[in-house]
Amino acid sequence: MPTAQGIRVGLSTASVYPENTEAAFRFAADLGFDGVELMVWAEPVSQDPTSVERLVREYGVPVLAVHVPCLLISQRVWGADPAAKLDRSVRVAEILGAETVVVHPPFRWQRRYAEGFSDQVAALEADSRVAVAVENMYPMRADVVFGGRDRGAERLRRRGPGRAVSAYSPSLDPTDTGFAHYTLDLSHTATAGADALALADRMGEGLAHLHLADGRGSSLDEHLVPGTGTQPCAEVCRRIAASDFGGHVVLEISTQSARTRAERAGMLARSLAFARTHLDRSATRALTAGPESPRHTEIARIPESERTDSGGEHGDA
């Protein structure tokens, strides 16, 4: 069930890697998450809304958000055109009843996509009830070559972030461009050496989606269990609980170090407990009357006759 005053907490399907999308639904159901964020990547099930709908029905877990296949490792998923992939992600979100699509800023080498990105995001939101929430990213830092992630974190504490270059256009900070909706990722702020609270302030009412994770300032994107790094995870949660935030909080942590399913479940359970504790609105304010969210919350069911056939479009199609 949702938290007492309605902030729903989801599980990113990426959080169970190297297990698959179905495993994420199973963990979400077993542990009491309010939904999942679907990471679209090479696994065929993640690319097929019909298969995902089957998981929604089987496990009773809705899809709260869809993450565009815009990672470096998913550059060929759904073809090579990033603008087309963003369009398709919004269509899939509509089919699945998801309220949010999470997308990264364009890479610098995606020049045509970058030139039209802001207009495309605005047009998609004008034609849909889905929020396209652009995510803050992090630079490639030179200190990654000096050793493991612990040395990278120690270097950041002693000297500040090293020489870095952004792979994103025009910036790794989406507030530099300005969008209606944003995703705040707290692991990315750690890796970027950014002030998470200041970034949340710049996002303002446009903050529609939170990727809750932690980091220690390593050159590598760590996605630690919240509360185990240096990021103000608890304060960010308490701030949005005290605000009119109507979006979702999604745990996007790395559990690759887990040796057993029980150990992975423990990491996810601790993360969920952290979120529930610090998102408890009854502990921070009384809500005024009104809807919890301006966007629809039920799982949409698109008639079979109206769906775009997804057959044969997996992978590099």
Side-chain angles (χ1 to χ4, degrees):
M1 296 294 292
T3 52
Q5 300 296 341
I7 296 180
R8 292 192 289 173
V9 181
L11 174 65
S12 169
T13 59
S15 293
V16 306
Y17 183 83
E19 295 193 60
N20 61 17
T21 299
E22 182 167 4
F25 274 86
R26 188 182 304 116
F27 277 115
D30 289 348
L31 297 175
F33 282 86
D34 302 316
V36 302
E37 177 179 307
L38 176 68
M39 173 66 79
V40 180
W41 51 10
E43 186 201 2
V45 168
S46 75
Q47 303 172 33
D48 180 12
T50 300
S51 296
V52 175
E53 280 192 310
R54 177 185 61 79
L55 297 176
V56 169
R57 292 192 298 268
E58 181 173 348
Y59 292 98
V61 174
V63 176
L64 305 178
V66 173
H67 196 303
V68 179
C70 51
L71 304 176
L72 282 173
I73 62 172
S74 58
Q75 288 297 288
R76 301 297 298 182
V77 172
W78 286 350
D81 182 351
K85 293 197 287 187
L86 176 53
D87 282 345
R88 184 167 176 175
S89 297
V90 171
R91 293 201 306 272
V92 168
E94 291 172 333
I95 291 170
L96 297 175
E99 299 177 11
T100 306
V101 163
V102 177
V103 64
H104 297 174
F107 289 112
R108 288 190 178 276
W109 56 84
Q110 297 171 323
R111 293 182 181 178
R112 182 175 299 178
Y113 177 49
E115 289 172 357
F117 182 68
S118 294
D119 290 341
Q120 182 185 11
V121 169
L124 287 169
E125 292 196 315
D127 292 338
S128 173
R129 293 185 295 174
V130 173
V132 180
V134 186
E135 185 172 8
N136 62 293
M137 299 305 295
Y138 56 91
M140 297 291 291
R141 288 223 314 267
D143 49 358
V144 75
V145 304
F146 297 137
R149 62 183 65 197
D150 292 331
R151 289 187 64 183
E154 178 61 26
R155 186 188 193 284
L156 184 70
R157 285 191 291 271
R158 289 187 290 107
R159 303 181 187 175
R163 295 181 60 186
V165 60
S166 171
Y168 300 95
S169 176
S171 169
L172 53 82
D173 179 352
T175 67
D176 288 344
T177 299
F179 295 94
H181 299 101
Y182 301 101
T183 295
L184 175 61
D185 187 301
L186 296 179
S187 178
H188 293 177
T189 56
T191 305
D195 184 329
L197 296 174
L199 179 56
D201 287 342
R202 292 197 299 276
M203 290 178 172
E205 294 181 358
L207 175 54
H209 198 70
L210 176 65
H211 278 170
L212 182 57
D214 215 330
R216 297 169 294 177
S218 167
S219 305
L220 303 176
D221 188 18
E222 296 176 289
H223 286 278
L224 303 177
V225 169
T228 62
T230 61
Q231 294 305 285
C233 297
E235 185 169 354
V236 169
C237 287
R238 289 194 294 266
R239 281 193 181 191
I240 67 173
S243 74
D244 293 325
F245 179 80
H248 306 123
V249 172
V250 168
L251 273 301
E252 192 183 61
I253 67 167
S254 172
T255 62
Q256 293 185 57
S257 63
R259 293 166 294 180
T260 65
R261 188 176 192 277
E263 189 174 345
R264 175 166 289 115
M267 296 173 73
L268 297 174
R270 290 194 299 275
S271 299
L272 179 59
F274 182 99
R276 296 283 193 222
T277 297
H278 296 290
L279 291 169
D280 182 4
R281 279 179 161 157
S282 66
T284 56
R285 70 182 182 102
L287 284 180
T288 57
E292 294 176 354
S293 171
R295 296 179 179 272
H296 69 294
T297 58
E298 296 185 356
I299 300 299
R301 294 295 171 196
I302 306 300
E304 196 71 33
S305 61
E306 297 180 14
R307 292 192 191 176
T308 301
D309 183 11
S310 60
E313 295 182 350
H314 293 163
D316 293 346

